Amino acid sequence: MDRVYVCSCFGVTEKQVKEHADAGACTPRQIASASKAGTDCGSCVRRIQAILGRGGCPRRELLDQGVPALTSEAPALSEAA
């Protein structure tokens, strides 16, 4: 299987970005917190944004419904790790 690198500075693959997104990361900053991708030269940030834009984001969906997404009131996200 070919590895498609999103962040060559830290060796982060597209698959890893998608896994972090599935686990609840909805923004490039959250991907950076999980993997360091986008924190060095920054050339991968647009690619990360494109990957995140393809799928639904549980937190974003909660916000669209008017539910606070980062408080204890929000329903728990399923943990995928």
Side-chain angles (χ1 to χ4, degrees):
M1 181 174 135
D2 292 329
R3 289 184 188 209
V4 178
Y5 287 96
V6 173
C7 175
S8 57
C9 294
F10 294 104
V12 179
T13 64
E14 184 172 316
K15 179 182 176 191
Q16 290 171 308
V17 171
K18 288 178 182 178
E19 288 171 352
H20 290 303
D22 289 344
C26 298
T27 66
R29 183 173 288 180
Q30 291 170 339
I31 295 294
S33 292
S35 67
K36 291 187 176 182
T39 62
D40 194 26
C41 77
S43 67
C44 60
V45 174
R46 284 185 179 255
R47 179 79 175 120
I48 293 168
Q49 288 172 328
I51 292 168
L52 294 175
R54 290 184 195 151
C57 175
R59 288 189 181 124
R60 190 173 304 124
E61 291 168 12
L62 290 172
L63 291 171
D64 290 344
Q65 297 169 9
V67 177
L70 298 177
T71 68
S72 59
E73 299 171 23
L77 298 173
S78 61
E79 291 190 351

